[in-house]
């Protein structure tokens, strides 16, 4: 990417954000609107970036930082209070808001992602027992290489993920954006319908094979047991109090999986090209843990590439879900009425992408000369949020835009 294009993209990031906010329908009567929807949405995104997790704190941050917000939009009547924010965010159309988010990501980061992980996450405290309402479960797509959220689709519970995945794929594939990508999903999606939906988008699938597909798993186990030539890659890992070694093996001679004869109810996936076995051994402080996992893919993968893809899939757990729970306190959110929980989940995705792709904040020089030059550690998202709350210049840089 050229420097000129990179600078243009940075300057247009907020403009693209506001343009996509403009397509969202305002549910209020125009003559009663004192706080335009674009102003409200910019407020909640900026405050979420600046370490605010509740509507009352968002409103207080807006009052304290009104001059900063007026660099970009008028805010003629100031900012709304926390109660008013709650009422409005409960009424915004969540499907249109999610579509605006996906379109903004595609415009702001136009490069096609190579690896896309799809997985679901439940917001634990968003349930409403009085109305017998289950907690919000959001299925998200995550670009594991660039570590960007690409889109999301809400469902009633984890068991309904299968209905949300095709809708999410349709939204992500607009304009051929999924062409050539490798889409990884856990075993809940290991079925012909989901696999075919991915192949129809000119993408490849990587699906886990677990106990929910016992016949297919037994066939894959037998294939590895009988194979004489297996491509293998060993991936050692050390950290978090354990030493782990993963041995990744692949077989690409899988014509037997594409035969026309079937047993009643037998699962067959389209265009199978590779089956994968991952054997892991983790040495903990007091014991060793062994595990074997199997995957199936329509892409012809080497053992090394397969290992990278399998490991990348779990990046959605520690690079997105963990960040939302621990850094953004999503599981502690008690939004339960209307569409508030779903819309604020999308707002957090806006904030995660903007904060994560922001440049490193400047640090003061060390007071004492260092004996040995060391590479500075990357600033955590948690600290970046706090810096965005402390420093207007860093928040403006994270937004990637010039004042109006």
């Amino acid at each position: 990417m050229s420097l000129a294009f990179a600078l243009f993209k940075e300057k247009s990031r907020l403009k693209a954000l506001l343009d996509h906010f403009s397509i969202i329908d305002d549910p209020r009567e125009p003559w009663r609107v004192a706080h335009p929807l674009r102003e409200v949405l910019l407020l909640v995104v900026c405050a979420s970036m600046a370490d605010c997790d509740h509507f009352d704190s968002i409103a207080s941050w807006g009052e304290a930082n009104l001059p900063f917000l007026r660099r970009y939009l008028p805010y003629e009547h100031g900012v709304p209070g926390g109660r008013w924010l709650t009422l409005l965010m409960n009424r915004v159309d969540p499907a249109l808001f999610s579509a605006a988010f996906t379109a903004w990501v595609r415009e702001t980061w136009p490069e096609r992602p190579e690896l896309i992980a799809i997985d679901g996450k439940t917001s634990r405290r968003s349930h409403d027992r009085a109305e017998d309402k289950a907690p919000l479960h959001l299925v998200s797509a995550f670009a594991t290489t660039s570590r960007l959220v690409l889109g999301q689709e809400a469902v009633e519970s984890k068991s309904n993920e299968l209905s949300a995945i095709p809708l999410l794929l349709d939204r992500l594939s607009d304009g051929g954006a999924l062409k050539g990508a490798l889409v990884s999903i856990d075993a809940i999606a290991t079925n012909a319908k989901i696999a075919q939906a991915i192949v129809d988008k000119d993408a490849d699938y990587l699906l886990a094979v677990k106990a929910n597909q016992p016949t297919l798993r037994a066939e894959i186990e037998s294939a590895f047991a009988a194979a004489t030539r297996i491509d293998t890659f060993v991936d050692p890992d050390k950290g978090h109090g354990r030493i782990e070694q993963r041995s990744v093996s692949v077989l690409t001679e899988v014509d037997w999986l594409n035969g026309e004869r079937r047993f009643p109810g037998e699962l067959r996936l389209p265009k199978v090209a590779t089956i994968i076995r991952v054997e892991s051994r983790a040495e903990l402080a007091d014991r060793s843990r062994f595990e074997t996992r199997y995957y199936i893919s329509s892409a012809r993968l080497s053992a090394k590439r397969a290992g990278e893809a399998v490991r990348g899939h779990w990046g959605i757990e520690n690079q997105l879900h963990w960040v939302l729970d621990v850094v953004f306190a999503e599981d502690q959110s008690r939004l339960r009425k209307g569409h508030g929980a779903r819309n604020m989940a999308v707002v957090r995705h806006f904030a995660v992408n903007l904060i994560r792709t922001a440049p490193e904040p400047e640090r003061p020089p060390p007071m004492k000369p260092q004996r040995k030059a060391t590479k500075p550690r990357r600033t955590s998202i948690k600290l970046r949020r706090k810096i965005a709350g402390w420093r207007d210049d860093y928040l403006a840089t994270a937004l990637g835009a010039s004042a109006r």
Side-chain angles (χ1 to χ4, degrees):
M1 182 188 298
S2 67
L3 178 60
F5 179 75
L7 292 174
F8 170 78
K9 187 176 73 171
E10 288 297 318
K11 290 182 179 179
S12 64
R13 184 178 293 175
L14 179 62
K15 181 180 182 301
L17 183 68
L18 297 177
D19 288 346
H20 288 295
F21 282 167
S22 299
I23 71 173
I24 302 173
D25 294 329
D26 195 326
R28 299 165 295 171
E29 297 176 6
W31 63 274
R32 300 180 64 182
V33 173
H35 304 286
L37 188 58
R38 291 207 312 169
E39 294 183 357
V40 174
L41 295 178
L42 180 62
L43 165 65
V44 294
V45 170
C46 287
S48 295
M49 294 168 63
D51 203 27
C52 298
D53 296 320
H54 307 284
F55 285 132
D56 287 338
S57 59
I58 289 173
S60 297
W61 181 91
E63 292 174 359
N65 293 272
L66 193 56
F68 173 82
L69 293 171
R70 282 176 172 161
R71 298 182 195 177
Y72 308 106
L73 291 176
Y75 287 91
E76 295 179 357
H77 299 279
V79 297
R83 177 61 179 164
W84 195 94
L85 283 174
T86 304
L87 293 174
L88 180 59
M89 292 303 292
N90 284 346
R91 298 174 62 188
V92 172
D93 183 352
L96 197 56
F97 197 22
S98 292
F101 171 82
T102 303
W104 169 72
V105 172
R106 187 180 299 114
E107 180 177 339
T108 309
W109 294 278
E111 300 84 2
R112 288 178 179 171
E114 296 180 358
L115 299 174
I116 299 175
I118 295 179
D119 197 18
K121 178 186 177 299
T122 301
S123 298
R124 301 296 177 188
R125 295 199 175 186
S126 59
H127 62 280
D128 190 343
R129 291 194 179 96
E131 297 186 5
D132 195 23
K133 180 182 176 182
L136 171 70
H137 190 80
L138 207 65
V139 179
S140 302
F142 185 70
T144 60
T145 304
S146 55
R147 297 190 297 175
L148 290 172
V149 188
L150 303 178
Q152 60 287 119
E153 188 71 31
V155 294
E156 293 182 359
S157 64
K158 184 176 179 63
S159 60
N160 299 110
E161 283 188 19
L162 288 178
S163 62
I165 291 173
L167 299 176
L168 183 56
L169 290 172
D170 287 340
R171 187 180 300 156
L172 294 175
S173 64
D174 188 31
L178 282 184
K179 186 175 182 179
L182 181 61
V183 180
S184 61
I185 317 178
D186 203 9
I188 193 172
T190 305
N191 63 64
K193 182 180 178 181
I194 298 295
Q196 189 63 54
I198 295 172
V199 170
D200 289 343
K201 310 300 182 187
D202 293 324
D204 287 302
Y205 58 80
L206 174 67
L207 304 175
V209 180
K210 296 183 179 178
N212 64 326
Q213 299 293 351
T215 303
L216 178 61
R217 182 182 174 97
E219 290 178 338
I220 292 176
E221 290 175 345
S222 299
F224 276 103
T228 56
R229 296 178 58 186
I230 302 177
D231 180 16
T232 302
F233 172 73
V234 178
D235 181 18
D237 185 23
K238 180 180 180 181
H240 304 287
R242 69 175 185 269
I243 300 174
E244 185 171 3
Q245 180 172 288
R246 287 178 290 271
S247 177
V248 183
S249 305
V250 301
L251 292 178
T252 54
E253 297 179 1
V254 292
D255 294 343
W256 51 274
L257 279 169
N258 297 319
E260 295 181 357
R261 299 183 66 180
R262 298 284 188 274
F263 293 108
E266 185 178 7
L267 172 68
R268 283 294 180 261
L269 303 180
K271 297 186 177 181
V272 176
T274 309
I275 56 176
I276 303 158
R277 179 181 65 192
V278 180
E279 298 173 301
S280 63
R281 173 182 176 179
E283 297 182 7
L284 309 178
D286 57 345
R287 67 190 186 280
S288 293
R289 185 178 63 204
F290 301 87
E291 187 178 10
T292 301
R293 302 187 299 273
Y294 295 95
Y295 301 85
I296 190 166
S297 177
S298 61
R300 195 174 181 87
L301 303 172
S302 66
K304 182 177 181 180
R305 174 67 171 166
E308 292 171 349
V310 168
R311 189 172 184 180
H313 174 79
W314 298 113
I316 193 172
E317 291 290 344
N318 53 34
Q319 295 172 6
L320 178 60
H321 295 169
W322 185 89
V323 168
L324 292 173
D325 282 343
V326 177
V327 180
F328 285 81
E330 184 170 79
D331 268 357
Q332 303 304 314
S333 174
R334 292 179 175 269
L335 295 175
R336 295 169 180 173
K337 303 295 183 181
H339 304 304
R342 182 173 172 182
N343 286 328
M344 283 307 296
V346 179
V347 167
R348 294 184 196 100
H349 287 173
F350 275 110
V352 166
N353 281 0
L354 287 166
I355 285 289
R356 175 165 273 152
T357 56
E360 279 287 321
E362 295 182 1
R363 301 182 181 184
M367 298 183 65
K368 296 181 179 180
Q370 296 180 340
R371 297 180 181 180
K372 182 180 179 181
T374 57
K375 185 178 180 180
R377 294 181 62 183
R378 183 176 174 84
T379 306
S380 67
I381 292 181
K382 182 176 182 179
L383 183 54
R384 287 183 182 215
R385 289 187 77 200
K386 292 188 178 297
I387 294 174
W390 299 331
R391 291 170 40 190
D392 287 354
D393 61 331
Y394 185 70
L395 180 57
T397 301
L399 285 170
S402 55
R404 63 188 178 96

